[in-house]
Amino acid sequence: RYSLAYARQSPNLAALCSTSSRRVYVMPDDHEISDNWEPGAPALDGKPADPARGLVGEQTVKELGLSAYWNRYRPYETRGETIWRDDIVHRDLPFFLGDARTDREGRTAVNWREQKIMKDEQFFALRHWLVIPANANLPKFVSTASALLPRRLAVAREPACALHSDAWDGYPKSMHALLAYVCEKEVKGLVFLSGDEHISNCVWARVTDLHTGRQCTFHSVHSSALYAPYPFANAVKEAFARSETFDFPDPLDPAACADRYRCEVRTVFAPEGDGFALLTALGPSTANGTGWQLNVAFHDASGPKDGGTHMLDLFPKTPKP
């Protein structure tokens, strides 16, 4: 049941993952366990997926799904290590591969405001990684299956709709804590990568501390699935808050300061359809001496999509969308 999806993997993707000249890192999504799985949700077989109740033999459905993932993509690593990784460096650029799926907490209509998309150990590691001095002037990439931004229109209009979102906006406590942290530390060159929604977009965002004036400008790139032939399973741009400004409280003291931070978001969507995103980081010597830039090109089977290429300024002197 859990290894079959890997056995049926397309020959082209299998060839990509086995090519020695490329480094391929694979992180689990909900499908490793069951479609739309989250802690406390029912599994496809109708049995509870909650590790406390959803036993299949002597293992939970979560354990079975992750066992297949480890066997396929990380067979030589010690089982029991964290899925998330903070030690990836690709061509001298740092990557944090986050686990926003299996490390998150279950939610109910009572507790959704307080639940976390990742447990404290991983979140503390992410915060430490974001401010490593040696990486201060380099592009920094944080990858999670769940998208940080843009928010869904439903969540923007009614916060309780967060209960139905698997993205960061479904966990407002975690989302606000991360946005506040990068703002207070004024992290530069930050790019978030994700790929759960079956849609492609580029996001420019700026977070401002309304009390101190501190700011952080960052980008988020979301890529569609390589193979997404079913329209009913694909997100549509009309479901997202493409251009919005929202305020949020101080995560450390929300009662005392209800509107401490402001987040501005501008989103550009690529042409619809499946494919992949190719990101090329251009250093000062190849970016007209203006600092690091990121070329984002969304591709389909025939090549780059029309209107799907964007150049992002990662260290803007005057932050503008």
Side-chain angles (χ1 to χ4, degrees):
R1 159 71 178 85
Y2 295 95
S3 60
L4 188 60
Y6 300 119
R8 290 178 173 175
Q9 185 171 269
S10 73
N12 292 333
L13 183 58
L16 174 67
C17 293
S18 63
T19 301
S20 60
S21 61
R22 295 184 177 92
R23 298 173 66 188
V24 178
Y25 299 100
V26 179
M27 298 296 288
D29 201 2
D30 57 317
H31 302 285
E32 263 72 19
I33 302 168
S34 66
D35 191 22
N36 295 323
W37 179 87
E38 66 173 284
L44 288 178
D45 59 4
K47 297 178 181 179
D50 188 333
R53 299 177 292 135
L55 296 178
V56 179
E58 295 184 356
Q59 289 183 295
T60 66
V61 291
K62 175 182 176 181
E63 290 169 343
L64 288 168
L66 289 181
S67 178
Y69 159 79
W70 281 97
N71 288 337
R72 178 69 180 190
Y73 289 115
R74 299 167 71 171
Y76 303 111
E77 296 184 40
T78 302
R79 200 68 55 86
E81 291 183 352
T82 59
I83 292 177
W84 54 269
R85 302 187 62 171
D86 60 359
D87 60 341
I88 304 301
V89 177
H90 177 66
R91 296 190 178 181
D92 299 324
L93 298 181
F95 286 74
F96 187 101
L97 306 186
D99 177 13
R101 284 303 197 190
T102 70
D103 200 39
R104 57 185 171 156
E105 298 175 330
R107 297 167 297 172
T108 69
V110 175
N111 66 11
W112 62 268
R113 294 177 181 84
E114 299 301 319
Q115 297 302 86
K116 301 171 183 177
I117 200 168
M118 56 179 63
K119 294 183 175 63
D120 289 343
E121 179 186 3
Q122 182 182 180
F123 193 67
F124 292 156
L126 173 57
R127 294 200 306 178
H128 171 77
W129 179 90
L130 286 166
V131 294
I132 293 175
N135 298 334
N137 296 317
L138 292 174
K140 291 169 281 292
F141 298 90
V142 178
S143 174
T144 58
S146 304
L148 179 64
L149 292 167
R151 299 194 303 171
R152 285 157 182 74
L153 274 175
V155 175
R157 293 168 177 168
E158 174 47 65
C161 289
L163 187 59
H164 304 292
S165 171
D166 285 334
W168 282 79
D169 62 4
Y171 293 81
K173 183 173 184 177
S174 295
M175 182 182 190
H176 295 163
L178 179 59
L179 293 177
Y181 185 80
V182 298
C183 177
E184 293 304 325
K185 298 299 183 180
E186 296 187 300
V187 179
K188 295 179 173 58
L190 182 58
V191 181
F192 291 90
L193 308 175
S194 52
D196 177 61
E197 299 287 352
H198 293 198
I199 197 170
S200 296
N201 62 58
C202 278
V203 173
W204 171 94
R206 178 169 59 201
V207 189
T208 303
D209 184 330
L210 299 177
H211 287 194
T212 66
R214 291 192 180 95
Q215 287 188 337
C216 173
T217 299
F218 63 89
H219 295 87
S220 175
V221 179
H222 193 87
S223 180
S224 65
L226 278 170
Y227 181 62
Y230 308 114
F232 66 85
N234 300 335
V236 294
K237 60 185 179 182
E238 290 79 10
F240 296 92
R242 302 170 64 178
S243 179
E244 70 161 339
T245 298
F246 63 92
D247 295 346
F248 61 93
D250 184 342
L252 299 178
D253 193 2
C257 192
D259 297 316
R260 172 70 180 264
Y261 297 94
R262 176 162 295 165
C263 184
E264 305 164 75
V265 183
R266 305 292 181 267
T267 307
V268 177
F269 287 88
E272 295 180 358
D274 48 18
F276 62 93
L278 178 64
L279 279 61
T280 306
L282 305 174
S285 61
T286 54
N288 300 321
T290 59
W292 284 93
Q293 293 182 309
L294 185 68
N295 182 271
V296 180
F298 293 105
H299 290 244
D300 58 20
S302 62
K305 296 182 178 182
D306 291 338
T309 300
H310 309 275
M311 185 68 76
L312 310 180
D313 189 356
L314 300 186
F315 291 85
K317 293 182 180 180
T318 303
K320 292 183 179 179

